[in-house]
Amino acid sequence: MPDEEVIEEGVLNPLKQEVQDPLLKQLMQESALEPEPQPAEIPLPTDEVDCLVIGTGAGGAPLLARLAMAGLKVVALEAGPWHDPKTDFATDEKAQEFLFWNDERLSAGKDPMAFGKNNSGTGVGGSTLHYTAYTPRAQPDDLHLHRDFGLGVDWPFGYEELEPYYEELEHFLGISGPTPYPWGPKRRRGYPLAPLPLNGAAQLMERACQQLGIQTSPAANAALSARYYQEGVGWREACTNRGFCQAGCSTGAKASMDVTFLPLAVAHGAEIRPNCFVTEIERDEQGRVTGVVYEHNGITQRQRCRHLFICAGAVETPRLLLLNELALSSGHVGRNFMAHVGVQVWGTFPEDIRPYKGIPGGLISEDTHRPPDADFAGGYLLQSIGVMPVTFAGQVVRERKLWGAKLRDYMRNYNHIAGINILGDCLPHEDNFLELAEEKDARGLPKPRLHFTNHENEIRMNRHAEQLMRRIWETAGATDIWVFPRSAHVIGTARMGLSGDDAVVNAEGRAFDVPNLYICDNSLFPSALSVNPALTIMALSLRTADKFLESEQRRDT
């Protein structure tokens, strides 16, 4: 255990003192003979649902809708509350911090991860409530790093398994993007909506990349560039380009799960229970899941089920498995933790940029997907970035160490600031993992502790990307260029594979050693991919639902 985490003896673990007083000693001995009070028995519900889903984000919501539409009795448990976007979402960064998963998570390693608003959310809709709606597809070779580079592991299936789900999602959600898309395989159908307008940073990046011979394109975004009719939901209004995607979309233009798949699921009979934090997973003598125990507004409840789908994300999913000593036979629960390489480069421009306006990720380039001059495995994409002032000020403090008058002087240039960042692959390493800490949270459960260190491949990728992004901003006319090192998205802590020897679940998301347990979120990614994960998580969710329904149909015939 790291030195800084060693607790002082006698504080959390006080020494047991020897009692000297004879009368007190006798009273304590008599008290010890009395039976300790037992907790009240949790009532056993009489109802059993076909499928119980933990989590309502990109992994849980599509699956929930698919299972409900098939006529199954399904319930979803969400740790966070329901939000009404029209009344609960304000254009105020500090006011919106309730959308983040703010339970403390412990970080370790040489490059400890930032949590909260960086990569996790809470509420009905999960992290999609505050994701930036960036939805590029993975490319076919993203799934085969080991085949192409001899590093990492390959996915247990190819791109052809995801392609139909990508297309379905793009048209269900109403993705705004370019047709044709410049990179990857030719597509049968284009995006249903035209791209959103480019913000100031995107326009600067576009002009500079053109001079440098780097191809760019408006990005694919799950935010509507026009009104769009959606099955089970009705009309959703177009994006107003206010740039506040990361703190909740009040208009419903952004395709978060609370305004897309979850209404569809409810329309087909699904039940969603908010404010329900799962603590225990119950099993029978054969090891099959029989139900879960959860806390709802301080009251302990139990729900029985025939099948359990854990879709709680790459931190809470392995944490729940470790807490319940479930699906551990491979030894890979919590292992293979990856985080996207996500270095940012910022510059100051004479133009009026106003980085709070427009969709944050307006422009993309995948020319760096497999750079010819790369000294690393995998690749990355380039994207322009918009940023809110409080978020940006926090980054300035952390990296440039500005404070007080110096920080105020720098932030007066905020409307002239523009950024670019990358989203790059990451390899699994033995010393990057999640474990349960000795320290307890407010519920009395061990906190998750994540160890993360960038290794040589990630360091080389960061270096390559930083040099390129500096050239782009220099060409665009930036001054005072500086770098903000960061990692994004937690991935891979309960990966899928072909064998239970080195994976937790099979290619359909079913646990190798628990026949009625499924996992469906970014924890099952075998590799990080060189694109944002949301669209692929949703595609896996639909695919897992379809594979499950096919197996149930075979069992019934």
Side-chain angles (χ1 to χ4, degrees), residues 98-109:
F98 63 82
L99 289 178
F100 311 139
W101 188 282
N102 292 312
D103 284 12
E104 187 178 15
R105 291 163 171 177
L106 306 180
S107 292

Side-chain angles (χ1 to χ4, degrees), residues 58-294:
L63 182 145
L64 184 71
R66 196 73 125 212
L67 299 179
M69 293 172 74
L72 297 180
K73 185 177 183 180
V74 292
V75 167
L77 301 176
E78 167 59 50
W82 277 101
H83 298 297
D84 182 347
K86 293 180 180 179
T87 58
D88 294 350
F89 294 171
T91 307
D92 181 318
E93 286 179 86
K94 298 299 291 180
Q96 292 305 104
E97 289 182 349
F98 63 82
L99 289 178
F100 311 139
W101 188 282
N102 292 312
D103 284 12
E104 187 178 15
R105 291 163 171 177
L106 306 180
S107 292
K110 294 180 181 178
D111 302 296
M113 283 287 294
F115 291 106
K117 63 184 177 183
N118 183 40
N119 48 33
S120 55
T122 185
V124 175
S127 295
T128 66
L129 295 174
H130 75 91
Y131 79 139
T132 57
Y134 216 66
T135 47
R137 297 184 181 186
Q139 291 202 30
D141 54 3
D142 272 322
L143 309 183
H144 301 288
L145 274 185
H146 189 269
R147 181 196 69 187
D148 296 344
F149 296 97
L151 297 170
V153 297
D154 291 342
W155 288 48
F157 50 76
Y159 177 82
E160 69 281 354
E161 287 286 322
L162 294 176
E163 186 176 26
Y165 295 107
Y166 283 152
E167 182 180 295
E168 178 184 350
L169 286 163
E170 288 161 356
H171 286 263
F172 174 75
L173 300 173
I175 303 294
S176 302
T179 299
Y181 188 74
W183 301 278
K186 185 178 179 180
R187 303 183 182 187
R188 192 173 66 89
R189 299 171 72 189
Y191 289 110
L193 295 173
L196 288 155
L198 298 181
N199 62 7
Q203 293 176 40
L204 287 169
M205 177 180 162
E206 183 181 44
R207 292 199 298 268
C209 285
Q210 189 173 15
Q211 294 179 52
L212 294 171
I214 301 170
Q215 185 178 19
T216 62
S217 169
N221 281 287
L224 304 176
S225 61
R227 284 187 90 219
Y228 196 73
Y229 186 81
Q230 190 171 16
E231 178 193 355
V233 177
W235 287 99
R236 290 170 49 219
E237 298 302 319
C239 175
T240 59
N241 295 297
R242 68 193 182 103
F244 215 66
C245 306
Q246 285 182 297
C249 178
S250 61
T251 65
K254 187 179 77 169
S256 50
M257 298 300 95
D258 60 320
V259 296
T260 54
F261 277 107
L262 294 178
L264 182 63
V266 171
H268 285 85
E271 181 187 352
I272 299 171
R273 299 177 191 167
N275 299 308
C276 295
F277 191 95
V278 177
T279 57
E280 297 178 42
I281 299 172
E282 299 181 319
R283 285 159 283 174
D284 60 20
E285 294 179 355
Q286 287 73 44
R288 294 177 63 88
V289 172
T290 58
V292 305
V293 175
Y294 62 96

